[in-house]
Amino acid sequence: MKICLFGASGFIGSNLALRLSESGAHEVQLCDVEDAKLRLRFENAPFAYEKVDISKDTDRVDELVRNADLVFDLAAFVHPAMFMSKPLDVVKLNFFDCLNVIQSCVRHNKRLIHFSTSEVYGKTGGSDASFKENETDLILGPIENQRWIYSCAKQLLDRMIFAYGVEQGLNYTLVRPFNFVGPLMDKFAKNWDRSDNPRVFANFMSSLVYDRPLQLVDGGQSRRCFTYIDDAISALEAIVAHPNEMNRQIVNVGNPRNEATIADFAQLMADTYVKHFDPSARPVIKSVASSDFYGKGYEDCDRRMPDISKLTSIGWQPQFGLEETVMKSMQYFVQNKTRLVELLGE
Ligand code: NAD
Ligand code: UDP
């Protein structure tokens, strides 16, 4: 099968690209605005990369879609810090530019696997129930809480993809990732920068390595289910392998057994770092107000628990527990620090 990935050199894209290529079953075309993570992931193995900016190269995007059997759309701005500092850029790329990719899939009748987000569910509204793709209400805060602009843009695109399925027969799967972590997630950030700090694992990892305090936003009482990237990629492979069962479905990808508060996650990372990587380290964990960390307009998702019955029905189960997830992810970052900084900056 000919598979085309847009946003192929991101965290998920680079890990997925390697696994799809290694399977030997597919011809994989990798498109992104840059290829640093692909070079890191593939090391010396060859890969088919083309520099394609989905915002500008719309004719080329259309050609690539026409030539593919399956299209993955992973291109997006994904860091909560950016939802606060560059909200219009977030909507432009994550909604309008991705819409172009989707319309090419409709035009050429190509199967699409599009990356939605678990952020679409928003807040729990006080319920303890896990998020179900076809049942759970999507609860966002007021407009002035700018954090929700990403969720809202992604939600509208989900609704349009659904409508393209109903009205024009688009074949698609919408993937909702729940906090994937692992090799090549974001980057080391030597200095903390409010407008551009990475997601929580990469931020804590950077704090440990550069001996800065790990910062718990508003005390770190929000909860997340951390999913090891290898489990996530296996889920994506299962989705590719079950086109009929997964067609016109929204699918949560996450590990409900790996739930932790952010405070507990920070403690686990600090303990793991001292025990396995730097016995002389003395990590400091402190609380910080969200208004200082992200600026005005931040509001958190209090809890995100996936119902994964759609994936278990096709035989997928996550394999990596929380401790192993943290250990393996940290190991990659520590062992590859020099090369990561060289290729991704800090
Ligand atoms: P990432 O930031 O690592 O990757 C995004 C990629 O898109 C980058 O390589 C970037 O260069 C590329 N890109 C940006 N602008 C582009 C453009 N104009 N043209 C082409 N490519 C462009 O993010 P990720 O974690 O790999 O996420 C991939 C998808 O999964 C996104 O849609 C994201 O919203 C979704 N998602 C991820 C998670 C997670 O846990 N990682 C959680 C929820 C949703
Ligand atoms: N967070 C934190 N310290 C950090 C980065 C993030 O306490 O240095 C918190 C953030 O407020 C949220 C959770 O960790 O509650 C996960 O944040 P992330 O940026 O990974 O993305 P999210 O899951 O919110 O999309």
Short mmCIF file of all heavy atoms in Angstrom, two decimals, residues 78 80 83 119 147 179 185 192 197-201 203-204 215-217 220 222 224 226 262 293-294 298 300-301 304, ligand 2:
data_model
loop_
_atom_site.label_atom_id
_atom_site.label_comp_id
_atom_site.label_asym_id
_atom_site.label_seq_id
_atom_site.Cartn_x
_atom_site.Cartn_y
_atom_site.Cartn_z
N VAL A 78 0.84 21.91 18.46
CA VAL A 78 0.28 21.04 19.49
C VAL A 78 0.60 21.43 20.94
O VAL A 78 0.14 20.75 21.86
CB VAL A 78 0.77 19.58 19.27
CG1 VAL A 78 0.39 19.09 17.90
CG2 VAL A 78 2.28 19.45 19.47
N PRO A 80 0.32 23.38 24.38
CA PRO A 80 -0.57 24.31 25.07
C PRO A 80 0.00 25.73 25.19
O PRO A 80 -0.75 26.71 25.09
CB PRO A 80 -0.77 23.67 26.44
CG PRO A 80 -0.69 22.19 26.14
CD PRO A 80 0.37 22.07 25.07
N PHE A 83 -1.14 27.60 22.31
CA PHE A 83 -2.58 27.95 22.24
C PHE A 83 -2.77 29.32 22.88
O PHE A 83 -3.70 30.05 22.53
CB PHE A 83 -3.48 26.95 22.99
CG PHE A 83 -3.20 25.49 22.76
CD1 PHE A 83 -3.70 24.52 23.62
CD2 PHE A 83 -2.45 25.05 21.67
CE1 PHE A 83 -3.45 23.17 23.43
CE2 PHE A 83 -2.19 23.70 21.47
CZ PHE A 83 -2.68 22.76 22.35
N GLU A 119 -7.98 16.41 23.72
CA GLU A 119 -8.39 17.75 24.20
C GLU A 119 -9.80 18.09 23.76
O GLU A 119 -10.45 18.97 24.33
CB GLU A 119 -7.46 18.83 23.62
CG GLU A 119 -6.08 18.84 24.18
CD GLU A 119 -5.80 20.08 25.04
OE1 GLU A 119 -6.62 20.99 25.09
OE2 GLU A 119 -4.73 20.09 25.66
N ARG A 147 -7.11 28.76 26.01
CA ARG A 147 -6.60 27.39 25.90
C ARG A 147 -7.49 26.51 25.02
O ARG A 147 -7.02 25.63 24.32
CB ARG A 147 -6.54 26.78 27.31
CG ARG A 147 -5.85 25.43 27.34
CD ARG A 147 -6.79 24.29 27.64
NE ARG A 147 -6.17 23.01 27.37
CZ ARG A 147 -5.24 22.43 28.11
NH1 ARG A 147 -4.79 23.01 29.18
NH2 ARG A 147 -4.76 21.27 27.77
N ASN A 179 -2.07 11.75 25.61
CA ASN A 179 -0.74 12.01 26.20
C ASN A 179 0.30 10.93 25.93
O ASN A 179 0.74 10.22 26.84
CB ASN A 179 -0.88 12.28 27.71
CG ASN A 179 -1.61 13.59 27.96
OD1 ASN A 179 -2.83 13.65 27.88
ND2 ASN A 179 -0.87 14.64 28.20
N MET A 185 9.76 12.97 21.71
CA MET A 185 8.70 13.88 22.10
C MET A 185 9.28 15.27 22.31
O MET A 185 10.16 15.48 23.14
CB MET A 185 8.06 13.42 23.40
CG MET A 185 6.90 14.30 23.73
SD MET A 185 6.48 14.20 25.42
CE MET A 185 5.03 15.22 25.39
N TRP A 192 13.49 27.94 30.33
CA TRP A 192 12.03 27.91 30.29
C TRP A 192 11.52 29.18 29.61
O TRP A 192 11.96 30.29 29.91
CB TRP A 192 11.48 27.78 31.71
CG TRP A 192 10.00 27.75 31.69
CD1 TRP A 192 9.22 26.70 31.37
CD2 TRP A 192 9.12 28.84 31.96
NE1 TRP A 192 7.89 27.05 31.42
CE2 TRP A 192 7.81 28.36 31.79
CE3 TRP A 192 9.31 30.17 32.33
CZ2 TRP A 192 6.69 29.17 31.96
CZ3 TRP A 192 8.21 30.97 32.51
CH2 TRP A 192 6.91 30.46 32.33
N ASN A 197 7.12 26.64 25.75
CA ASN A 197 7.66 25.49 26.50
C ASN A 197 6.99 24.20 26.03
O ASN A 197 5.83 24.18 25.64
CB ASN A 197 7.56 25.71 28.01
CG ASN A 197 6.15 25.91 28.47
OD1 ASN A 197 5.39 24.96 28.56
ND2 ASN A 197 5.77 27.16 28.73
N PRO A 198 7.75 23.10 26.05
CA PRO A 198 7.22 21.85 25.52
C PRO A 198 6.20 21.20 26.46
O PRO A 198 5.94 21.70 27.55
CB PRO A 198 8.46 20.97 25.39
CG PRO A 198 9.45 21.54 26.33
CD PRO A 198 9.14 22.98 26.51
N ARG A 199 5.65 20.06 26.02
CA ARG A 199 4.66 19.35 26.82
C ARG A 199 5.31 18.73 28.05
O ARG A 199 6.52 18.64 28.14
CB ARG A 199 3.94 18.33 25.94
CG ARG A 199 3.01 19.00 24.94
CD ARG A 199 2.49 18.06 23.89
NE ARG A 199 3.48 17.73 22.89
CZ ARG A 199 3.24 17.02 21.78
NH1 ARG A 199 2.04 16.57 21.55
NH2 ARG A 199 4.21 16.77 20.92
N VAL A 200 4.47 18.25 28.96
CA VAL A 200 4.93 18.06 30.34
C VAL A 200 6.13 17.11 30.47
O VAL A 200 7.09 17.43 31.18
CB VAL A 200 3.76 17.66 31.27
CG1 VAL A 200 3.22 16.28 30.99
CG2 VAL A 200 4.17 17.77 32.72
N PHE A 201 6.13 15.96 29.79
CA PHE A 201 7.27 15.05 29.96
C PHE A 201 8.57 15.74 29.55
O PHE A 201 9.58 15.69 30.27
CB PHE A 201 7.09 13.75 29.16
CG PHE A 201 8.35 12.94 29.12
CD1 PHE A 201 8.66 12.10 30.17
CD2 PHE A 201 9.26 13.08 28.08
CE1 PHE A 201 9.87 11.41 30.18
CE2 PHE A 201 10.46 12.38 28.08
CZ PHE A 201 10.76 11.54 29.14
N ASN A 203 9.22 18.87 29.32
CA ASN A 203 9.53 19.99 30.20
C ASN A 203 10.18 19.51 31.49
O ASN A 203 11.19 20.07 31.96
CB ASN A 203 8.23 20.74 30.51
CG ASN A 203 8.42 22.24 30.44
OD1 ASN A 203 9.51 22.74 30.20
ND2 ASN A 203 7.35 22.96 30.65
N PHE A 204 9.63 18.45 32.08
CA PHE A 204 10.21 17.91 33.31
C PHE A 204 11.59 17.31 33.03
O PHE A 204 12.53 17.44 33.81
CB PHE A 204 9.29 16.85 33.93
CG PHE A 204 8.04 17.41 34.58
CD1 PHE A 204 7.00 16.57 34.98
CD2 PHE A 204 7.90 18.77 34.83
CE1 PHE A 204 5.86 17.07 35.59
CE2 PHE A 204 6.76 19.28 35.44
CZ PHE A 204 5.73 18.42 35.82
N GLN A 215 8.11 22.39 37.50
CA GLN A 215 7.04 23.31 37.87
C GLN A 215 5.67 22.64 37.73
O GLN A 215 5.31 22.19 36.65
CB GLN A 215 7.08 24.55 36.98
CG GLN A 215 8.42 25.29 37.04
CD GLN A 215 8.38 26.60 36.29
OE1 GLN A 215 7.72 27.54 36.71
NE2 GLN A 215 9.05 26.66 35.16
N LEU A 216 4.95 22.60 38.84
CA LEU A 216 3.60 22.02 38.82
C LEU A 216 2.60 23.14 38.64
O LEU A 216 2.47 24.01 39.52
CB LEU A 216 3.30 21.31 40.14
CG LEU A 216 4.24 20.18 40.56
CD1 LEU A 216 3.82 19.65 41.94
CD2 LEU A 216 4.18 19.06 39.53
N VAL A 217 1.91 23.13 37.52
CA VAL A 217 0.94 24.18 37.25
C VAL A 217 -0.23 24.04 38.22
O VAL A 217 -0.85 22.97 38.30
CB VAL A 217 0.48 24.10 35.78
CG1 VAL A 217 -0.67 25.06 35.52
CG2 VAL A 217 1.65 24.39 34.85
N GLY A 220 -0.43 20.90 40.26
CA GLY A 220 -0.29 19.60 39.57
C GLY A 220 -1.34 18.57 39.96
O GLY A 220 -1.06 17.37 39.99
N SER A 222 -4.21 18.06 38.24
CA SER A 222 -4.88 17.50 37.06
C SER A 222 -4.30 16.12 36.78
O SER A 222 -3.16 15.84 37.13
CB SER A 222 -4.65 18.38 35.83
OG SER A 222 -5.22 19.63 36.06
N ARG A 224 -3.64 12.82 34.00
CA ARG A 224 -3.50 12.40 32.61
C ARG A 224 -3.19 10.91 32.58
O ARG A 224 -2.64 10.36 33.54
CB ARG A 224 -2.33 13.14 31.92
CG ARG A 224 -2.50 14.65 31.78
CD ARG A 224 -3.57 15.02 30.78
NE ARG A 224 -3.59 16.46 30.51
CZ ARG A 224 -4.29 17.35 31.22
NH1 ARG A 224 -5.04 16.95 32.25
NH2 ARG A 224 -4.26 18.63 30.90
N PHE A 226 -0.79 8.54 30.72
CA PHE A 226 0.40 8.61 29.86
C PHE A 226 0.55 7.29 29.08
O PHE A 226 0.51 6.21 29.66
CB PHE A 226 1.64 8.91 30.70
CG PHE A 226 1.58 10.29 31.30
CD1 PHE A 226 1.12 10.48 32.60
CD2 PHE A 226 1.93 11.40 30.55
CE1 PHE A 226 1.03 11.75 33.15
CE2 PHE A 226 1.84 12.69 31.09
CZ PHE A 226 1.39 12.85 32.39
N ILE A 262 -0.35 15.14 37.84
CA ILE A 262 0.92 15.70 37.34
C ILE A 262 1.94 15.77 38.48
O ILE A 262 3.13 15.55 38.27
CB ILE A 262 0.68 17.09 36.70
CG1 ILE A 262 -0.31 16.96 35.51
CG2 ILE A 262 1.99 17.72 36.23
CD1 ILE A 262 0.07 15.96 34.44
N PHE A 293 2.67 30.70 34.58
CA PHE A 293 3.30 29.70 33.71
C PHE A 293 2.87 29.87 32.25
O PHE A 293 3.69 29.86 31.34
CB PHE A 293 2.94 28.29 34.20
CG PHE A 293 3.73 27.19 33.57
CD1 PHE A 293 4.96 26.80 34.08
CD2 PHE A 293 3.25 26.52 32.45
CE1 PHE A 293 5.70 25.76 33.50
CE2 PHE A 293 3.97 25.49 31.86
CZ PHE A 293 5.20 25.11 32.39
N TYR A 294 1.55 30.01 32.04
CA TYR A 294 1.04 30.09 30.66
C TYR A 294 0.55 31.49 30.29
O TYR A 294 0.33 31.76 29.11
CB TYR A 294 -0.16 29.15 30.48
CG TYR A 294 0.18 27.68 30.47
CD1 TYR A 294 -0.20 26.85 31.52
CD2 TYR A 294 0.83 27.10 29.38
CE1 TYR A 294 0.09 25.48 31.50
CE2 TYR A 294 1.12 25.73 29.36
CZ TYR A 294 0.73 24.94 30.42
OH TYR A 294 1.01 23.59 30.39
N TYR A 298 -5.54 30.60 30.65
CA TYR A 298 -5.31 29.15 30.72
C TYR A 298 -6.36 28.51 31.60
O TYR A 298 -6.74 29.05 32.63
CB TYR A 298 -3.92 28.84 31.27
CG TYR A 298 -3.62 27.36 31.36
CD1 TYR A 298 -3.29 26.64 30.22
CD2 TYR A 298 -3.67 26.68 32.58
CE1 TYR A 298 -3.02 25.27 30.29
CE2 TYR A 298 -3.40 25.32 32.66
CZ TYR A 298 -3.09 24.63 31.51
OH TYR A 298 -2.83 23.28 31.58
N ASP A 300 -7.42 24.27 32.68
CA ASP A 300 -6.91 22.92 32.45
C ASP A 300 -8.03 21.92 32.20
O ASP A 300 -9.17 22.12 32.61
CB ASP A 300 -6.11 22.47 33.68
CG ASP A 300 -4.99 21.51 33.31
OD1 ASP A 300 -4.99 21.00 32.17
OD2 ASP A 300 -4.13 21.25 34.16
N CYS A 301 -7.67 20.82 31.53
CA CYS A 301 -8.53 19.64 31.50
C CYS A 301 -8.24 18.92 32.82
O CYS A 301 -7.08 18.53 33.05
CB CYS A 301 -8.13 18.69 30.37
SG CYS A 301 -7.98 19.46 28.77
N ARG A 304 -8.43 13.10 32.13
CA ARG A 304 -8.64 12.56 30.77
C ARG A 304 -8.46 11.06 30.78
O ARG A 304 -7.33 10.57 30.77
CB ARG A 304 -7.55 13.13 29.87
CG ARG A 304 -8.02 14.15 28.94
CD ARG A 304 -6.91 14.41 27.96
NE ARG A 304 -6.75 15.82 27.79
CZ ARG A 304 -5.63 16.40 27.47
NH1 ARG A 304 -4.52 15.71 27.31
NH2 ARG A 304 -5.58 17.68 27.29
N1 UDP B 2 2.13 20.89 33.24
C1 UDP B 2 2.86 21.16 34.40
N2 UDP B 2 4.16 21.55 34.27
C2 UDP B 2 4.78 21.67 33.07
C3 UDP B 2 4.03 21.38 31.89
C4 UDP B 2 2.70 21.00 32.03
O1 UDP B 2 2.33 21.07 35.53
O2 UDP B 2 5.97 21.99 33.04
C5 UDP B 2 0.74 20.39 33.37
C6 UDP B 2 -0.33 21.09 32.53
O3 UDP B 2 -0.85 22.18 33.22
C7 UDP B 2 -1.35 19.97 32.36
C8 UDP B 2 -0.47 18.70 32.24
O4 UDP B 2 0.76 19.04 32.88
O5 UDP B 2 -2.12 19.85 33.52
C9 UDP B 2 -0.20 18.20 30.84
O6 UDP B 2 0.32 19.24 30.07
P1 UDP B 2 0.86 19.07 28.59
O7 UDP B 2 1.53 20.35 28.21
O8 UDP B 2 1.67 17.84 28.45
O9 UDP B 2 -0.42 18.93 27.67
P2 UDP B 2 -1.97 18.60 27.86
O10 UDP B 2 -2.11 17.22 28.40
O11 UDP B 2 -2.55 19.62 28.80
O12 UDP B 2 -2.49 18.72 26.48
#
